[in-house]
Amino acid sequence: MSTHARPLADWLAEASDDELRRLFHARRVRPDAAWQDFFDAAESLLDPASLAKALPTLTGAEAASLLDAAQGGGAGAQRERLTALALLRPDGTPYPPVVTAVAGRSADALTTTSSTVSRSSETAAAHAAERAFTTVSVLADLLLIARESPFALLTGGGVNAGEKRQLAEAGVPTEIVDTLVSIAVEAGLAVMADRRLRTSQSAEEWLRSPAVARWSVLATAYRDALPRGVRSPSGGWIPPETWSGAHPWDPAWSEHSRMLHDAARLLGLIAEDGTEPEWAVGLREGGATDTSALARLLPAEVDRIFLQNDLTAIAPGPLAPALDVRLRTIAARESAAQASSYRFTAESVAHAFVAGETEASILEFLGGLSLTGIPQPLAYLLSQTAQRHGLVRVSTDEETGRTRIESVDSHLIDAMAVDQSLRPLALTAHVGSLTTRVSRETVYWALTDARYPATLVGADGALLVRERHPAPPAAPPHDDASDLTP
């Protein structure tokens, strides 16, 4: 063991379990680290590679203090924090490897500015509220799309170009997609797993909440996930104009800081002129937010629609989210302006049946919403689609364990048997039906994708409803170990 590591090893041996836990978390020590004792731990924490990862996490004030200590001065108010990070000895002097690591570095500490924040004018506040409402609406669109088909992600976590093109066709601005994804993940509404973005269980409740409640979840999560460098002692944030110097030794901080600013503007926490809307004050100060000022500036939500003979529905304003989400399982939304429009098609109605709706449940739902009753063309479409739905039944043969496809329409069986898109299923004809070794769920979704009127059937003959991409739990709350000291 090197001489310089012994003092740290002694300090580690005397530290409490909580101190060690916080240290190892902050220094991003892997749970499977191959250490035998505290001497191994000390050597590893003072290794140049480990220090190179630790220094970029320091705030501007911490970087300046560490540099002062390395040059023979004192660490001042940051001494306790830097000691807890295993960068300073208990006497306030840096370990020799730390002195070497910071040699040649500069530390532009946080710019000192007045704590007074300029309040937004009425016009600026109105624009910020409009942007916040738009952001909430677009993020809901993104989550609804991801719920049906999880997005493929790049190695760095961004949405790939192909997915962005499809989102653009759905009306989602591609230039803000990555920022929206970051906001959704921080709020626990989406989960990144296996290089794909999927909606979480929490997203289902959020999607059905009023706009102000949706915004409150996003804004609070954004505040709680801010990096240490931009957090204020009260748990809020420091003046946004100082964020660029929050982590001076992090080469990626400039881009990260820009994204934080972009997210704050999208959420209406910072107006376009840099001023602060009234509803951001509570969050900035580390408390709850009063959304009444924001609510006054948002468009009123409606709970009625006009059903028309051309198989469209028009909402005379933003449709209440819970109603919008359900309507969009039955009809495809065509526009998302103040007056949204939706279109019913055989495919959209079939999708609703797959999701568990019935002809009766759809008629009851639309009848309660419509100011114009149920037009005859729509009633006919629902009836025809309902009659066709379930013509193909997918079940498991209890004797053979194989998946069986049956239908009272022999033409459908013949069509599936020769359908090239179903070739991977290796379907085999068997007494008026088709069988395969492929699982029942896989067969069902393959038939649905090929637009066959398929339903899943249980052992008792009852129809089953399946979610194609079951929502996983939300990710654990963000924790940057900002408090290393008791």
Side-chain angles (χ1 to χ4, degrees):
M1 180 186 70
S2 57
T3 304
H4 61 250
R6 180 174 291 278
L8 178 56
D10 293 340
W11 182 85
L12 293 173
E14 295 175 0
S16 68
D17 289 346
D18 284 343
E19 288 174 325
L20 292 175
R21 177 185 59 80
R22 290 192 290 266
L23 166 62
F24 295 158
H25 179 80
R27 292 290 297 270
R28 301 173 185 173
V29 174
R30 292 174 57 89
D32 57 353
W35 298 344
Q36 299 298 318
D37 49 38
F38 286 120
F39 299 112
D40 288 345
E43 289 275 10
S44 178
L45 291 170
L46 294 176
D47 182 81
S50 177
L51 292 174
K53 294 179 181 178
L55 296 182
T57 69
L58 299 183
T59 66
E62 292 164 355
S65 296
L66 183 60
L67 195 59
D68 286 345
Q71 294 171 348
Q78 303 300 323
R79 174 174 168 176
E80 186 175 7
R81 166 74 185 183
L82 294 172
T83 300
L85 280 170
L87 299 175
L88 295 182
R89 298 187 182 100
D91 63 4
T93 59
Y95 297 98
V98 176
V99 175
T100 301
V102 302
R105 288 179 180 265
S106 63
D108 297 323
L110 291 172
T111 303
T112 302
T113 60
S114 169
S115 59
T116 301
V117 179
S118 299
R119 188 62 55 82
S120 297
S121 66
E122 185 173 349
T123 300
H127 289 164
E130 181 180 3
R131 174 162 292 217
F133 179 78
T134 299
T135 296
V136 168
S137 300
V138 173
L139 181 55
D141 292 343
L142 186 147
L143 291 175
L144 286 169
I145 296 170
R147 185 175 67 172
E148 293 295 322
S149 180
F151 302 147
L153 300 174
L154 301 172
T155 303
V159 178
N160 71 30
E163 298 281 13
K164 285 184 177 179
R165 283 194 295 272
Q166 294 184 30
L167 288 172
E169 294 173 359
V172 178
T174 57
E175 66 274 12
I176 64 172
V177 166
D178 289 333
T179 303
L180 291 177
V181 167
S182 175
I183 291 172
V185 171
E186 288 172 351
L189 305 178
V191 176
M192 293 182 177
D194 301 323
R195 297 277 298 276
R196 300 193 77 81
L197 181 79
R198 305 172 63 196
T199 56
S200 70
Q201 295 170 5
S202 301
E204 295 305 310
E205 179 181 356
W206 183 87
L207 284 167
R208 290 167 173 77
S209 301
V212 171
R214 284 176 168 184
W215 176 86
S216 185
V217 169
L218 299 180
T220 301
Y222 168 83
R223 188 271 310 276
D224 294 345
L226 286 172
R228 290 189 311 110
V230 301
R231 298 292 292 274
S232 64
S234 65
W237 59 78
I238 61 178
E241 61 267 24
T242 67
W243 291 4
S244 60
H247 292 279
W249 289 346
D250 182 356
W253 177 248
S254 177
E255 176 63 16
H256 191 179
S257 175
R258 183 192 63 77
M259 288 192 68
L260 290 176
H261 275 276
D262 289 347
R265 283 192 291 269
L266 286 175
L267 291 170
L269 296 172
I270 303 175
E272 287 302 312
D273 60 1
T275 57
E276 180 181 73
E278 182 179 347
W279 51 84
V281 175
L283 289 171
R284 175 180 55 79
E285 294 178 344
T289 183
D290 180 357
T291 59
S292 57
L294 175 63
R296 288 194 298 270
L297 295 172
L298 297 184
E301 295 173 348
V302 301
D303 59 1
R304 293 291 185 272
I305 60 176
F306 296 96
L307 293 178
Q308 306 190 121
N309 286 325
D310 63 354
L311 297 178
T312 62
I314 304 296
L319 190 59
L323 302 177
D324 174 72
V325 169
R326 185 174 179 187
L327 182 56
R328 287 167 69 173
T329 65
I330 307 168
R333 196 176 68 176
E334 293 190 319
S335 70
Q338 289 290 332
S340 299
S341 64
Y342 308 78
R343 178 170 296 279
F344 298 92
T345 65
E347 184 176 5
S348 70
V349 174
H351 173 271
F353 288 140
V354 169
E357 295 278 6
T358 64
E359 182 182 3
S361 70
I362 293 175
L363 287 171
E364 181 182 7
F365 171 63
L366 295 180
L369 283 183
S370 179
L371 293 168
T372 52
I374 306 293
Q376 192 276 334
L378 177 57
Y380 180 78
L381 174 65
L382 294 173
S383 175
Q384 290 296 104
T385 307
Q387 291 177 27
R388 180 173 169 78
H389 182 69
L391 283 178
V392 176
R393 299 166 65 87
V394 182
S395 61
T396 300
D397 189 309
E398 294 186 352
E399 293 185 3
T400 65
R402 292 172 65 92
T403 297
R404 182 178 297 279
I405 305 172
E406 301 172 288
S407 178
V408 295
D409 187 339
S410 61
H411 296 294
L412 283 174
I413 293 293
D414 294 340
M416 289 183 286
V418 298
D419 192 327
Q420 291 300 302
S421 69
L422 302 179
R423 189 173 181 179
L425 300 180
L427 299 176
T428 302
H430 179 73
V431 192
S433 65
L434 300 172
T435 66
T436 176
R437 295 184 182 277
V438 178
S439 71
R440 182 180 63 181
E441 278 72 16
T442 299
V443 171
Y444 167 69
W445 289 115
L447 294 178
T448 299
D449 287 343
R451 300 189 178 183
Y452 289 100
T455 56
L456 276 174
V457 181
D460 59 356
L463 300 183
L464 304 176
V465 177
R466 288 287 188 272
E467 291 186 42
R468 187 163 200 166
H469 305 286
H478 178 85
D479 179 10
D480 64 357
S482 58
D483 183 12
L484 275 172
T485 56

